[in-house]
Amino acid sequence: MSAAPPDNDVLWARGIVKSHHGTPALRGVSLGVREGEMLAITGPRGSGKSTLLGCLSALLPVDEGEVWFNSSPVHTLTRAGREKLRRERFGFVGSEPHLVPELTARENVALPLLLAGAGHKAAYTAAGEWLERLDVADCARQRPTELVQSQRQRIAVARALAPMPPVVFADDPTAPLHREAQDQVLRILASAARSHQLTLVLATHDPELARYADRTVSLVDGRLSPTAVPAATAGR
Amino acid sequence: MYYLRLARGYRGLDLGRWLLTTGAAAVVAAFLLRSVGRALSDPAGASFPRLLWCLPPLAAVAWFAATAARALPAQRPERIAGLTAAGAGPVRIRLLIAGEIALACALGGAATLLLFLVLRNDIAGPSLAADLGMGIPLPAAAPVTLLALLPLVAGTAAAGAVRFPDTLPGRTGEPDPTAFAPLRLALPIGLTLIGLALELYGLRPGAAQDGRPIDLPAGLGATGTAVLIGWSFTALGIALLTAPLLALAGRLLALGRPAPLRLLAGRGLTAQARGLGTPLAVLALALALVLTAARHWTSPSGTAEPLPVIEGILIVGCATAAVTARLLELRAARGPVTDGLLRLGTPPGLLAGAVALRTVAAGTVLLLTGGLTAVLATAALT
């Protein structure tokens, strides 16, 4: 369209409008995410954080506006194209671990790698390494129901990071955890992102936790709050 | 009134459950009223065996009611959450679900009673006169007592089947453990082996002189004591073995270095074996029995009576509906996991393929268990 996305933005959105069954969730959000940065999106519950993450991560189609990933349009992709993009380019950690209950921790972490077409041995080796990095290597053969919530959430983090996607989305990843575990999980996410040059987009309702990020934008009632730096212009 | 208001918000699935329950209850009520009619026309006759004949379909309706009631909280979590928010505790929710099933049964029974009374009014002609007890005054207590049985039995079964943890909002039920206790495996294996030995003893070459003292109902001929007891043991053992066999099939499916399709299908089958085992075993047993009987009826020497045929259809129908209810329950309970998998970018085709593969594996197990039961039943009849 009129403006092509800037080159140094790995993700770039312009004027996203999205509503759920008539309830407006996003009313024109423009945002740029630079490569390798850790961006926090803060805002109270119901401010549209999850919807914004869904639109950026190719889960939800936008009603209006544009989303670009690495200078290629996401908003025009078909359903299958969006699935492929999520499978091969994006990682996701939600507020609930949503692990597959009948698979062991290691199989859960290896699953996205297997889905992306990795070999059996490579996938399981990588899964084992990531479990070790996240300090849950001793749970590798256990099923999610045998573990405690903080262990499950770490496995979900390992599952998102194991395929080494260029962009990782984290939607309130610390919501079900205690204070202590919250810091731990975020530290792990942040350090993994930095050491592997991953881009991390973090949504959180807790401004305290946004301190791990390089940059923070806040969302109120589906719009970027005027107090925050308008990200799309700041990126240029 | 309350039920009617709830029912106004019902959609296809709930209405289907209502219609099935009502329809099945109407057929069972017809059996019960026929036994009343027969008893009126022939007071000296054997009315107790006729009442016994009504038990299998009654049990089938209760089984479907129980499975459907158990599936309800998982299928409609928002309704349970709404009722809880409105102040209904677990006991009241249990009563509401049981009451709904009982009401459906009562409606079916009432419809049949109405038909029975209209037909008795001299319009059925002589062909049905004996079944309806035409021309003989009907004591009001008889049909009322018998028809009250239906909602009572189905409602109690439904109330007993609702699982408490599922009725609490925000709590997802813990999945069943996948391993089976040694006794849970040893008992059905032992039963099957003892049953097989007994049946083979009853069928040994020199067994003809033992005679066949037990007369089977529904024109199925006669059979020997050892054969019948042996077959019952084997059928029970095989039915109890269905769940472990499903779990084993799942393990075999995910053997070696499985690709995502085999991994998800196999592990999923192992995880659901406990939940699926019972309804599938009941369906396999019912099908094996009804198909064996049908084969006997259609053979040159056999004759088919309409009542056992209707009973057979009703029982298989209820067992099938119970399997459907359990499948819907499992699918609803798996909703968040499926969403999580789709979030990862799992192609929906892969998930559908896993379901198909799981269905094929479960179908193979059922063919095996049901087929063995049917073959042994055929051997016991001839």
Side-chain angles (χ1 to χ4, degrees), chain A residues 53-54 57 59 79 83 86-87 92 98-104 107 111-112 114-115 120-121 124 143 145 159, chain B residues 174-175 178 251 256-260 263-264 267-268 271 334 336-337 340-348 350 358:
Chain A
L53 240 61
S57 65
L59 180 70
R79 198 191 167 97
E83 273 157 19
R86 287 206 302 273
R87 198 159 60 232
F92 185 84
H98 284 320
L99 301 171
V100 184
E102 62 263 16
L103 301 185
T104 63
E107 287 165 341
L111 188 61
L114 291 172
L115 284 173
H120 193 273
K121 196 169 173 212
Y124 278 80
R143 284 168 213 281
T145 43
R159 180 174 66 176
Chain B
E174 289 283 300
T178 48
R251 275 181 208 284
R257 297 180 156 193
L263 184 71
L264 287 174
R267 291 292 157 79
R334 249 188 107 70
V337 177
L341 281 171
L342 291 174
R343 190 78 185 71
L344 286 179
T346 316
L350 181 84
R358 215 177 290 168

Side-chain angles (χ1 to χ4, degrees), chain B residues 113-155:
Chain B
L113 180 62
L114 208 65
L115 186 72
F116 178 73
L117 293 177
V118 169
L119 285 178
R120 262 171 68 82
N121 206 7
D122 233 3
I123 57 171
S127 63
L128 279 176
D131 289 329
L132 296 172
M134 215 181 269
I136 302 151
L138 179 72
V144 170
T145 314
L146 279 182
L147 291 187
L149 253 182
L150 258 172
L152 205 68
V153 169

